[in-house]
Amino acid sequence: MNISNQPQPTLLGASDPAPVEIVNPAGSGDVLLVCEHAGREIPSSLGDLGIAASEMDRHIAYDIGARDLALMLSERLDAPLVAQRYSRLVIDCNRPTEADDSIPPVSDGTEIPANRNLDARERAQRATEIFEPFDRALAGAIRDRRPKAIFAIHSFNPVLRGVSRPWDIGFLYRKDGRTSPALQRYLLAAAPDLSIGMQEPYAISDQSDWFVPVHGERNGIAHSLIEVRNDHISHPEGVARFAGLLAGAIGDFMKKGD
């Protein structure tokens, strides 16, 4: 028997959720929202990835508070939201699939045994079944709706590897030098006490990022990757506060521009 002709096992089983969550698809707003690190699901075929359950509550598994913030922004802006259900430890949907940390063997000091020594088929399986459906859904939403602006919602840890990250919120961008500075101005007008980091807590590159280079820049659409410090949005009151601030700033930008 030629086993090469036999059906190959899939990563996702019948009981596993679909990778893509689309919220408010008929929203009337001119904005499209994205949340690549919204979820903490793990395919049943991968078990617990070989890590303790408590690790799935950390920032290494998902962006703490980001989905809640994105959901509230979707409601306030009447904007569609494309969100990923699976943990960034399974595959990171804001990284090129060839990036070293696309499927991280170690994340912030925690070893991920299920991600070690993967062969090409195993890596391709995660890309094909999780990354690519999400990427297609986002590309399709941009193509079909042609929004005037797209915003990716993320969160970041206050301290990483012993280094303090003091900003309340950060805006990441590269070629679109108009959108993020405008959002900064509108936010500071509403909340002058905010510490806003431009190109913080990291910088965009083709090697480490996907949303900005591929979905923002290539489409020529106004965009920004928005990072909120996760201790601010780990509770409902904080989510409501930052949703209000960001909805106001985005609304001002959509009405007034820069």
Side-chain angles (χ1 to χ4, degrees):
M1 180 182 294
N2 185 352
I3 61 172
S4 65
N5 292 328
Q6 300 304 302
Q8 295 298 308
T10 60
L11 177 70
L12 300 181
S15 63
D16 289 319
V20 185
E21 177 186 18
I22 299 182
V23 178
N24 193 18
S28 63
D30 289 331
V31 170
L32 177 66
L33 300 172
V34 187
C35 194
E36 299 98 328
H37 302 151
R40 288 182 282 179
E41 295 285 350
I42 302 172
S44 55
S45 62
L46 298 181
D48 58 9
L49 298 177
I51 62 178
S54 59
E55 296 289 349
M56 298 304 295
D57 294 328
R58 296 181 60 214
H59 72 100
I60 64 172
Y62 74 123
D63 277 4
I64 296 167
R67 180 177 180 274
D68 291 338
L69 179 60
L71 286 172
M72 191 167 286
L73 281 171
S74 172
E75 180 180 349
R76 296 194 179 199
L77 297 168
D78 196 20
L81 164 65
V82 181
Q84 172 59 248
R85 289 190 171 105
Y86 284 91
S87 172
R88 63 191 302 174
L89 294 178
V90 177
I91 188 167
D92 193 320
C93 287
N94 190 40
R95 298 282 186 277
T97 55
E98 65 272 16
D100 291 340
D101 57 352
S102 168
I103 304 174
V106 180
S107 184
D108 194 18
T110 295
E111 294 193 8
I112 318 298
N115 292 353
R116 289 199 171 277
N117 303 315
L118 298 180
D119 60 28
R121 183 190 66 81
E122 290 170 315
R123 294 186 67 90
Q125 195 174 47
R126 297 198 197 184
T128 298
E129 297 189 41
I130 295 177
F131 178 94
E132 291 177 9
F134 181 81
D135 193 53
R136 285 195 301 270
L138 178 52
I142 293 170
R143 180 189 64 246
D144 295 343
R145 294 186 61 91
R146 199 60 191 178
K148 292 182 179 177
I150 51 177
F151 300 104
I153 307 302
H154 291 252
S155 71
F156 66 96
N157 238 34
V159 177
L160 185 66
R161 292 187 285 275
V163 178
S164 176
R165 303 158 102 189
W167 314 279
D168 298 307
I169 189 167
F171 293 106
L172 279 65
Y173 58 99
R174 195 168 59 171
K175 296 179 182 178
D176 179 0
R178 168 178 172 259
T179 304
S180 295
L183 293 177
Q184 179 194 35
R185 288 194 296 275
Y186 290 129
L187 267 183
L188 288 176
D193 59 320
L194 285 179
S195 173
I196 300 178
M198 305 304 285
Q199 312 294 18
E200 300 290 358
Y202 70 95
I204 299 291
S205 76
D206 288 328
Q207 292 71 42
S208 63
D209 292 88
W210 191 255
F211 166 75
V212 168
V214 173
H215 293 292
E217 293 175 350
R218 289 186 193 175
N219 284 299
I221 299 172
H223 62 275
S224 180
L225 191 153
I226 301 171
E227 293 264 9
V228 180
R229 208 175 70 208
N230 64 29
D231 57 331
H232 289 319
I233 55 172
S234 61
H235 49 88
E237 296 81 7
V239 171
R241 178 183 180 231
F242 276 85
L245 288 170
L246 283 169
I250 292 171
D252 285 343
F253 173 73
M254 299 302 291
K255 292 173 187 173
K256 307 173 187 176
D258 56 359

